[in-house]
Amino acid sequence: MDLSAAFKRLDKSNRRLLQNLLSLLSAEGVHRISRLLSIIVIARALGVEAYGTMVFVAICHESFRSLSKLSGGLLIIQCKQRDLLWIAQQAASLNWGIAIITMILQWQLANVIGSYFNQLEAATLLKYSALAHLLYPLVMVRVNLMHRRQQLKRFAVLSTSSVVVEDLSCAFLAFYLQSAWCIVFAKLASAAMWCFLFYRYSEDNIEARFKANLAHKLLRQAIPVFGSELAKQFRLSCDVFIAARVLGPEAFGFYSFARNAAIGIAQSLGNAFLRAIHPYLAKEFSRNEGFSSIWRSYGLCLITSSFFVLQSLLAPLYVPLLFGEAWQGAVKLVSLLCYASVALLLLDCSLLIIRCLNYFKWEALLQSAGLLSLCALLQFNYFDSAYSFAQAFVIGLGLMSFLLMIALIAYLYFNKMPGGHYE
């Protein structure tokens, strides 16, 4: 079969989707290599408990960073052209206020978080990593505009470069310091590189402006999206927070390693897929061509998921070979948690479709329901090992992703809603 001829027969929108998807997946392939190399070095340099502390700090930091979604920047990707300028200007100004508030919150709550989750060393690390939040407002609107224009090849190169800096600097510092402090310096270095690259290699220069009435209007639209993103962030990390309380230090260290080696590596590939289809779906739905794009998105989603299945099958070979015999006991955990990546990708794909239909309130409600259900499942059950905890996590995610996908397809079909609907 002539692949080049088949590619040329696709319409412009589908060609752009495949080009963007290939660019992002290629970039994420580089990211996966750097993440794998960093995990190998860090796992050999740090003990089990120090590794668990490092993962805990990284996830807490990213949870606080999700507060940046309140600025409304994500609405830039799918807003109408006539609204683009004022949304971008107000988002640029709101980003700075939210970044300062986020930094203060993380600093002030660090001791409370460390005490509650029995991670006392993490408190100090969270305080100093909070400084990274003050850098991102420099380029956040530029990044959103790049997504809107589907300039994802450029985004892939710039984003991957900063992520590789984070991975490799964390590995180097872990080897040199042999301490969880490596994550603090890595977060600061990554934020600085991210801002430098996107400021240097993007042409947009949106002036930040604040008008109370427009800011209020943007916040009113952004709050459901923010609620959804916040619920998503905690859904992606709630298992780590709960595991820190219900598992012992050693079991939590093994679970943190397995999760990082399975979901942590696979998640970058899933995020690349979601970034590629978001502007594509928004454009297709605006043209009332939603059904074909939905099937195409789910098909590409299943193809991407096949890599996670392969990763699971190969875990017994690469875990002891790459990470050393000290992590031999985590092989089954890694294999099992790879299937959580499949469920997460299907679930997030369905929720992204709902967002592109502008059902922002429904998306936030479903994200919150998924978070609460998963927390209840993990918090109010007894687990005698990290493996039984991981089993419950994977099964819960799998049921949620399957039920939502079936319900969404059925709803759109029977209500004749192929796209273009607005709340």
Side-chain angles (χ1 to χ4, degrees):
M1 180 179 179
D2 190 345
L3 293 179
S4 61
F7 181 79
K8 290 178 181 178
R9 285 195 295 270
L10 295 173
D11 60 36
K12 184 178 179 180
S13 178
N14 289 326
R15 284 202 303 271
R16 174 66 71 87
L17 170 64
L18 288 178
Q19 287 171 342
N20 285 334
L21 186 57
L22 289 173
S23 296
L24 286 169
L25 291 180
S26 299
E28 289 301 331
V30 176
H31 177 200
R32 285 165 69 90
I33 294 172
S34 74
R35 175 61 59 88
L36 183 60
L37 290 173
S38 68
I39 291 176
I40 292 172
V41 175
I42 295 168
R44 291 177 179 270
L46 302 183
V48 174
E49 293 187 24
Y51 192 98
T53 299
M54 186 207 70
V55 172
F56 180 80
V57 170
I59 289 178
C60 286
H61 179 81
E62 291 304 314
S63 297
F64 277 101
R65 190 182 167 193
S66 64
L67 292 175
S68 65
K69 305 297 192 302
L70 185 57
S71 68
L74 288 175
L75 296 176
I76 291 173
I77 299 174
Q78 61 189 78
C79 71
K80 296 183 183 299
Q81 187 64 34
R82 66 172 180 267
D83 296 324
L84 179 59
L85 181 60
W86 75 263
I87 288 179
Q89 289 175 336
Q90 297 304 309
S93 63
L94 288 172
N95 276 327
W96 284 105
I98 292 169
I100 294 170
I101 292 171
T102 302
M103 188 273 291
I104 294 172
L105 274 176
Q106 183 168 325
W107 188 285
Q108 294 297 323
L109 294 176
N111 288 332
V112 177
I113 293 170
S115 176
Y116 182 77
F117 290 101
N118 300 317
Q119 295 282 339
L120 299 181
E121 184 185 359
T124 304
L125 306 183
L126 281 171
K127 289 180 179 180
Y128 288 98
S129 63
L131 298 173
H133 297 301
L134 298 177
L135 296 174
Y136 288 106
L138 288 167
V139 296
M140 288 179 73
V141 170
R142 291 171 179 250
V143 173
N144 294 136
L145 287 168
M146 196 174 287
H147 276 77
R148 178 183 176 87
R149 300 190 186 107
Q150 299 191 54
Q151 297 173 330
L152 298 185
K153 183 176 181 179
R154 184 186 302 180
F155 170 83
V157 174
L158 301 180
S159 175
T160 300
S161 299
S162 64
V163 172
V164 168
V165 167
E166 178 179 340
D167 289 340
L168 298 185
S169 63
C170 191
F172 173 78
L173 290 167
F175 179 79
Y176 182 74
L177 300 175
Q178 295 190 347
S179 164
W181 271 93
C182 60
I183 192 63
V184 175
F185 298 113
K187 288 296 180 185
L188 292 171
S190 175
M193 180 61 71
W194 176 279
C195 293
F196 169 76
L197 291 175
F198 279 100
Y199 197 87
R200 174 67 177 81
Y201 295 103
S202 61
E203 65 275 9
D204 301 293
N205 188 22
I206 299 296
E207 182 181 354
R209 291 185 179 179
F210 180 82
K211 291 186 178 180
N213 60 327
L214 292 179
H216 179 264
K217 182 179 178 181
L218 179 58
L219 284 172
R220 193 170 65 247
Q221 295 180 32
I223 282 174
V225 177
F226 166 70
S228 177
E229 286 293 322
L230 194 62
K232 176 183 177 181
Q233 181 61 46
F234 281 108
R235 172 173 55 79
L236 290 173
S237 55
C238 68
D239 61 308
V240 176
F241 294 131
I242 296 173
R245 285 186 59 80
V246 303
L247 300 178
E250 185 175 358
F252 175 67
F254 273 106
Y255 182 81
S256 299
F257 165 79
R259 191 187 191 282
N260 215 11
I263 300 176
I265 295 175
Q267 195 172 344
S268 60
L269 193 63
N271 288 338
F273 172 81
L274 295 171
R275 288 194 192 101
I277 66 169
H278 187 182
Y280 165 77
L281 285 172
K283 184 176 181 180
E284 291 297 296
F285 286 164
S286 69
R287 296 162 52 189
N288 290 320
E289 297 182 5
F291 275 131
S292 61
S293 59
I294 287 172
W295 291 119
R296 193 170 294 113
S297 298
Y298 278 130
L300 291 171
C301 187
L302 291 174
I303 293 173
T304 305
S305 296
S306 65
F307 290 99
F308 307 152
V309 176
L310 180 62
Q311 181 185 356
S312 174
L313 296 175
L314 293 176
L317 297 177
Y318 72 78
V319 170
L321 179 64
L322 297 178
F323 302 109
E325 293 299 323
W327 299 101
Q328 178 69 41
V331 169
K332 289 184 178 180
L333 271 175
V334 175
S335 295
L336 177 61
L337 287 171
C338 287
Y339 290 101
S341 300
V342 178
L344 283 169
L345 186 58
L346 286 170
L347 181 61
D348 288 335
C349 183
S350 297
L351 289 163
L352 183 61
I353 290 169
I354 294 171
R355 174 179 296 183
C356 290
L357 286 165
N358 290 330
Y359 287 131
F360 299 131
K361 293 178 182 177
W362 273 106
E363 183 199 2
L365 181 63
L366 290 167
Q367 289 277 24
S368 300
L371 169 63
L372 293 174
S373 300
L374 202 57
C375 286
L377 175 66
L378 298 177
Q379 181 68 54
F380 300 112
N381 280 290
Y382 171 74
F383 302 105
D384 58 0
S385 66
Y387 188 80
S388 62
F389 182 89
Q391 278 183 317
F393 178 58
V394 172
I395 292 171
L397 281 175
L399 285 174
M400 280 193 291
S401 63
F402 177 76
L403 291 175
L404 180 58
M405 181 175 64
I406 297 301
L408 176 61
I409 292 173
Y411 174 79
L412 294 176
Y413 178 79
F414 288 111
N415 288 277
K416 307 299 181 184
M417 297 294 297
H421 179 79
Y422 290 83
E423 289 184 330

